[in-house]
Amino acid sequence: MKVYLDNAATTPIAQPVIEVMKEAMEINYGNPSSIHSMGRNARSLVESSRKTVAEILKASAGEIFFTSSATESNNMAIHRSIVDLGVRRIISSPTEHPCVLNTLKAICVERNDVDVQFLSVDAYGRIDTNELNHLLESSDIKTLVSIMHGNNEIGTMIDLDKVSQICDNHNALLHCDTVQTIGKFDLDLSKTKVSFLSGSGHKIYGPKGIGIIYINNDNMTKAMINGGGQERQLRSGTENIYGIAGFAKALSLMVEEREQQLGQIMELRNYFKSEAPKYVSDIQYNGNQDDLFLPHILSISIPKTMKTDLIMFNLDIYGICASAGSACSSGAEKDSHVLEAINAPSDRKTIRFSFSHHNTKDEILHTLKTLADVSS
Amino acid sequence: MKVYLDNAATTPIAQPVIEVMKEAMEINYGNPSSIHSMGRNARSLVESSRKTVAEILKASAGEIFFTSSATESNNMAIHRSIVDLGVRRIISSPTEHPCVLNTLKAICVERNDVDVQFLSVDAYGRIDTNELNHLLESSDIKTLVSIMHGNNEIGTMIDLDKVSQICDNHNALLHCDTVQTIGKFDLDLSKTKVSFLSGSGHKIYGPKGIGIIYINNDNMTKAMINGGGQERQLRSGTENIYGIAGFAKALSLMVEEREQQLGQIMELRNYFKSEAPKYVSDIQYNGNQDDLFLPHILSISIPKTMKTDLIMFNLDIYGICASAGSACSSGAEKDSHVLEAINAPSDRKTIRFSFSHHNTKDEILHTLKTLADVSS
């Protein structure tokens, strides 16, 4: 039995998305910058995709830019807010994705005019909005707050409306990495004020190699990647038209099927948690479990034993795909910066299971039984 | 009759490339950074693709990195050679692609410690290697020479071995944009010393949204896009595995079929040039025509008349896809910086036709007849 429980790392592409991409690959091969009919057809696909994304996020089409990944989008938001908007302080959290943390690290090495501050997080990975408020109050320096919507390792979410309100009250820019939430939660950018927002195709049953950045019209930047002036001068390079069409289709499908998928996923999650104690003793859960959590991410921990060192490999042998922390690392199991930030006890082994609507209760049961076998 | 003569802007994806990509999209959906079987399958596809590319370029696999486009690669080479390798002078040419010229422009705006110099070009768009030699001799400042292998608008090529030798003699780094030549010409990086080289999938019957950068082991840089540490820390973001597999397949096919394709394209080019005077009076050709030219690019000029203002639109109405200059612009017809650099007479209208092995003599004839109709 093959059980894919690593949907926070990446998802299979939905068949209707593959169809859209195949059609674009086979027929729509013009360069969107060409003014002839082949070019215009490609341009039309790009622009209708942009419109779809904008409508879903309740943004204007002029605020949506296609990039190669959320990683690129997040790099861009941070770099360009410094260069173009005069940001001189960045407030972030220690549980951000490495594409934010390592960008901040590179900035600290390469420039000496930007102050980087980190909020503390509690044992559930929650930031303290009072601390954010206090930090913003303490200085008038132009500030970017970079906080992810939902954590990719432990699933803890922020109250985005509240964080947005605090940032707005202090004229701080807000960058939100929504890789784990875009399409899955209702993001209404006409109501929730966000300066920069990023998303990725391959977490929502869309393709890899495509992402978006939303840049609010009030804080438009210049490009990080310069060239032929594509994406209205904001992101050059011939457009990845299949990826773009695939992203828009995946996001639409996600929104259409959101309620149903969420119901299925909550059922699987609850089933896992209710059955787990029957198979695995002393199982605990990392991250917020009560409110503001990502239903598709379940980070568990069990007591470390001789056997837990090889647990990921053994789960794999039994056909179960899961992660130690996140997938975005060198391929070697590294200590997780998120678990470190929440002071996870060092005598426990963490495994992240992440669900999709394709999973079944049988798969969950098989996983729990296998987990029992390989951990004790 | 639909005639696609804009193959320097972008090419249709070859069917075997689509097959490889479809298979990857349907089956191989793991995240290459995941350590389980699905992840390892994806990793394997990425690494075998890298090996294919490295073998073709006679580079080591550790020198090949996948990016989202040659535009990204070129931005990266220029930026990182400054930040990581201490480059403080860049010598380029006025006929480079906008992704080089606009990156240099941004650098001049954003930093004041890098000197940018431009070589002159003659009426054929040729650089003067003596001038390059002289400039390099004139200063010991750490220098990057950024020159494209073959020009995308007028097809003029450089003698890469000679330029490489001159740079090497003066310890200058050499960045070469090979978007129009990779796969089409034999590039042997074990013999020709290049520091950075870029290529793009969609110019060689591969996908859009994927490019490579070759970085010579002797001048390895750090990342421009930071994050999860993919591509051996050099380019983060979950790998575009379909694009990567598609790129490798497209490059392999191109190399396999190179001789045959080149023969067909030279025949079409010669046919165009021999037939043209029968249909269009006073036709001239931009760029080098005798040696060191790209066979697939034929930039023509005809005397401007009232009718030539709308000639691109009228060609399009008759089903002929061509470009005024290059495709990489806003969609509006702009004055070409390349034509300006070669002092092209302002009373002549330029049209770039670019061929593929899919074109036929019938299509060329139809194009010439239509050109006659819409220009006089």
Side-chain angles (χ1 to χ4, degrees):
Chain A
M1 193 181 207
K2 190 88 181 170
V3 183
Y4 188 75
L5 289 176
D6 204 12
N7 293 283
T10 195
T11 51
I13 314 187
Q15 201 56 44
V17 175
I18 294 182
E19 294 307 321
V20 163
M21 291 178 71
K22 264 164 56 181
E23 194 184 316
M25 288 195 291
E26 275 162 4
I27 300 166
N28 207 339
Y29 63 81
N31 185 323
S33 296
S34 297
I35 56 173
H36 51 63
S37 60
M38 289 299 299
R40 292 196 309 273
N41 291 345
R43 163 68 44 217
S44 162
L45 186 62
V46 170
E47 295 312 324
S48 65
S49 301
R50 192 189 317 282
K51 200 163 158 254
T52 299
V53 175
E55 280 170 1
I56 287 171
L57 296 176
K58 305 220 171 45
S60 79
E63 295 172 313
I64 305 294
F65 305 91
F66 292 106
T67 65
S68 67
S69 59
T71 287
E72 181 192 327
S73 301
N74 290 339
N75 273 255
M76 180 180 175
I78 295 172
H79 277 294
R80 299 317 301 187
S81 70
I82 296 170
V83 179
D84 300 322
L85 306 174
V87 161
R88 288 297 173 265
R89 176 172 68 160
I90 299 175
I91 299 176
S92 191
S93 97
T95 59
E96 295 305 299
H97 189 273
C99 68
V100 166
L101 295 179
N102 288 336
T103 299
L104 296 178
K105 211 178 276 179
I107 283 164
C108 291
V109 170
E110 291 168 23
R111 336 186 31 125
N112 52 18
D113 57 352
V114 180
D115 188 19
V116 176
Q117 302 176 333
F118 290 99
L119 299 169
S120 53
V121 294
D122 69 11
Y124 300 97
R126 294 180 298 198
I127 58 165
D128 179 351
T129 47
N130 288 324
E131 187 188 14
L132 175 62
N133 202 45
H134 176 74
L135 271 178
L136 287 172
E137 258 168 13
S138 71
S139 163
D140 281 342
I141 193 167
K142 183 81 181 172
T143 301
L144 174 75
V145 174
S146 177
I147 304 281
M148 71 206 313
H149 194 193
N151 187 274
N152 58 312
E153 293 197 26
I154 57 173
T156 300
M157 291 180 72
I158 58 164
D159 180 340
L160 182 55
D161 283 325
K162 191 168 174 187
V163 169
S164 157
Q165 195 57 59
I166 294 171
C167 291
D168 198 36
N169 289 347
H170 295 89
N171 287 316
L173 299 170
L174 172 60
H175 164 232
C176 191
D177 170 348
T178 64
V179 165
Q180 295 291 345
T181 57
I182 196 167
K184 295 172 183 159
F185 290 81
D186 187 29
L187 292 165
D188 180 345
L189 297 174
S190 73
K191 289 186 184 147
T192 308
K193 189 167 178 187
V194 177
S195 309
F196 305 97
L197 178 145
S198 60
S200 170
H202 74 104
K203 309 285 191 188
I204 51 170
Y205 310 95
K208 295 176 177 64
I210 188 76
I212 59 147
I213 184 168
Y214 157 89
I215 308 180
N216 189 299
N217 269 327
D218 293 343
N219 49 262
M220 203 48 71
T221 68
K222 292 185 179 155
M224 180 171 77
I225 295 179
N226 287 285
Q230 287 88 351
E231 295 294 285
R232 301 182 311 294
Q233 306 291 334
L234 255 280
R235 205 289 187 174
S236 287
T238 298
E239 296 89 338
N240 175 356
I241 54 178
Y242 347 104
I244 288 171
F247 182 96
K249 182 70 182 173
L251 187 64
S252 302
L253 278 177
M254 190 77 226
V255 171
E256 269 171 45
E257 299 174 3
R258 175 158 66 202
E259 290 302 316
Q260 196 195 333
Q261 286 187 22
L262 192 69
Q264 288 174 259
I265 286 168
M266 274 308 295
E267 211 175 314
L268 293 169
R269 180 189 182 93
N270 290 337
Y271 184 70
F272 188 111
K273 290 178 80 170
S274 68
E275 292 296 307
K278 298 179 192 163
Y279 298 92
V280 188
S281 57
D282 191 15
I283 189 168
Q284 294 178 11
Y285 299 97
N286 297 307
N288 205 354
Q289 302 293 313
D290 298 330
D291 60 351
L292 292 176
F293 64 86
L294 296 172
H296 68 290
I297 293 181
L298 190 62
S299 173
I300 73 155
S301 80
I302 52 176
K304 270 191 185 162
T305 64
M306 290 285 282
K307 290 182 85 174
T308 52
D309 275 355
L310 289 171
I311 201 162
M312 301 315 301
F313 295 101
N314 284 323
L315 284 173
D316 183 39
I317 286 167
Y318 287 95
I320 295 163
C321 297
S323 277
S326 72
C328 297
S329 65
S330 62
E333 279 190 51
K334 288 194 301 187
D335 284 344
S336 152
H337 68 283
V338 176
L339 297 177
E340 198 181 314
I342 62 170
N343 282 316
S346 60
D347 59 353
R348 298 187 67 86
K349 171 75 185 170
T350 284
I351 305 165
R352 179 188 70 179
F353 295 106
S354 47
F355 310 114
S356 85
H357 55 291
H358 296 306
N359 295 124
T360 63
K361 285 188 176 176
D362 273 356
E363 290 180 349
I364 302 295
L365 211 54
H366 174 69
T367 300
L368 285 168
K369 285 177 181 169
T370 309
L371 193 58
D373 285 347
V374 299
S375 65
S376 62
Chain B
M1 193 180 207
K2 189 90 180 166
V3 182
Y4 188 74
L5 289 176
D6 204 12
N7 293 282
T10 195
T11 50
I13 314 186
Q15 201 55 43
V17 175
I18 294 182
E19 294 307 321
V20 163
M21 292 178 70
K22 264 164 56 180
E23 194 185 315
M25 288 196 291
E26 274 161 5
I27 299 166
N28 206 340
Y29 63 81
N31 185 323
S33 296
S34 297
I35 57 174
H36 51 62
S37 61
M38 289 299 299
R40 292 197 308 274
N41 291 344
R43 163 69 45 217
S44 164
L45 185 63
V46 170
E47 295 312 323
S48 66
S49 301
R50 192 189 318 283
K51 201 163 157 255
T52 300
V53 175
E55 281 170 2
I56 287 171
L57 296 176
K58 304 221 172 44
S60 79
E63 294 172 314
I64 305 295
F65 305 90
F66 292 106
T67 65
S68 68
S69 59
T71 287
E72 181 191 328
S73 302
N74 291 338
N75 273 254
M76 180 180 176
I78 294 171
H79 278 293
R80 299 318 300 187
S81 70
I82 296 170
V83 179
D84 300 322
L85 306 174
V87 161
R88 289 296 173 267
R89 176 173 67 160
I90 299 175
I91 299 175
S92 189
S93 97
T95 59
E96 296 304 300
H97 189 274
C99 66
V100 166
L101 295 179
N102 288 337
T103 300
L104 296 177
K105 212 178 274 180
I107 284 164
C108 291
V109 170
E110 291 168 23
R111 341 188 24 128
N112 52 17
D113 57 351
V114 180
D115 187 21
V116 176
Q117 302 176 334
F118 289 99
L119 298 169
S120 52
V121 294
D122 69 11
Y124 300 98
R126 295 180 298 197
I127 59 164
D128 179 350
T129 47
N130 288 324
E131 187 188 14
L132 174 61
N133 203 45
H134 177 74
L135 271 178
L136 288 171
E137 258 167 13
S138 71
S139 162
D140 282 342
I141 194 167
K142 183 81 179 171
T143 300
L144 173 75
V145 174
S146 178
I147 305 281
M148 72 206 313
H149 194 194
N151 186 273
N152 59 312
E153 292 197 27
I154 57 173
T156 300
M157 291 181 72
I158 58 165
D159 180 340
L160 183 56
D161 283 324
K162 191 169 176 184
V163 170
S164 158
Q165 195 58 59
I166 294 170
C167 291
D168 198 35
N169 289 347
H170 295 90
N171 287 317
L173 299 170
L174 173 59
H175 164 232
C176 190
D177 170 349
T178 64
V179 165
Q180 294 291 344
T181 57
I182 197 168
K184 295 173 184 160
F185 290 81
D186 187 29
L187 292 165
D188 180 345
L189 297 175
S190 72
K191 289 186 184 147
T192 308
K193 190 168 178 186
V194 177
S195 309
F196 306 96
L197 178 145
S198 60
S200 171
H202 74 105
K203 309 284 190 187
I204 51 170
Y205 310 96
K208 295 176 177 65
I210 188 74
I212 59 148
I213 183 167
Y214 158 88
I215 308 181
N216 189 299
N217 270 327
D218 293 343
N219 49 262
M220 203 48 71
T221 68
K222 291 184 180 158
M224 180 170 78
I225 295 179
N226 287 285
Q230 287 88 351
E231 295 296 285
R232 301 182 311 294
Q233 306 292 334
L234 255 280
R235 205 289 187 176
S236 287
T238 298
E239 296 89 338
N240 175 357
I241 55 179
Y242 348 103
I244 288 171
F247 182 94
K249 182 71 182 174
L251 187 63
S252 302
L253 279 177
M254 190 78 225
V255 171
E256 269 172 44
E257 298 173 5
R258 175 159 65 202
E259 288 304 315
Q260 197 196 331
Q261 285 187 22
L262 192 68
Q264 287 174 259
I265 286 168
M266 274 308 296
E267 211 175 314
L268 293 168
R269 180 189 181 92
N270 291 336
Y271 184 70
F272 188 110
K273 289 178 79 170
S274 68
E275 292 296 308
K278 298 179 193 164
Y279 298 93
V280 188
S281 58
D282 191 15
I283 189 167
Q284 293 178 12
Y285 299 97
N286 298 306
N288 206 354
Q289 301 294 312
D290 298 330
D291 60 352
L292 291 176
F293 64 86
L294 296 171
H296 68 291
I297 293 181
L298 190 62
S299 172
I300 73 156
S301 80
I302 52 176
K304 271 190 186 163
T305 64
M306 288 286 281
K307 290 182 86 174
T308 52
D309 275 355
L310 287 173
I311 200 163
M312 301 315 300
F313 296 100
N314 284 324
L315 284 173
D316 183 40
I317 286 168
Y318 285 95
I320 295 162
C321 296
S323 276
S326 73
C328 298
S329 65
S330 62
E333 278 191 51
K334 287 195 302 189
D335 284 343
S336 152
H337 67 285
V338 176
L339 298 178
E340 196 181 316
I342 62 171
N343 282 315
S346 60
D347 58 353
R348 300 187 65 86
K349 171 75 186 170
T350 284
I351 305 166
R352 179 188 69 178
F353 295 106
S354 47
F355 309 115
S356 85
H357 54 291
H358 297 306
N359 295 124
T360 63
K361 285 188 176 176
D362 272 358
E363 289 180 351
I364 302 295
L365 211 54
H366 173 70
T367 301
L368 285 168
K369 284 177 180 167
T370 309
L371 193 58
D373 284 348
V374 300
S375 64
S376 62

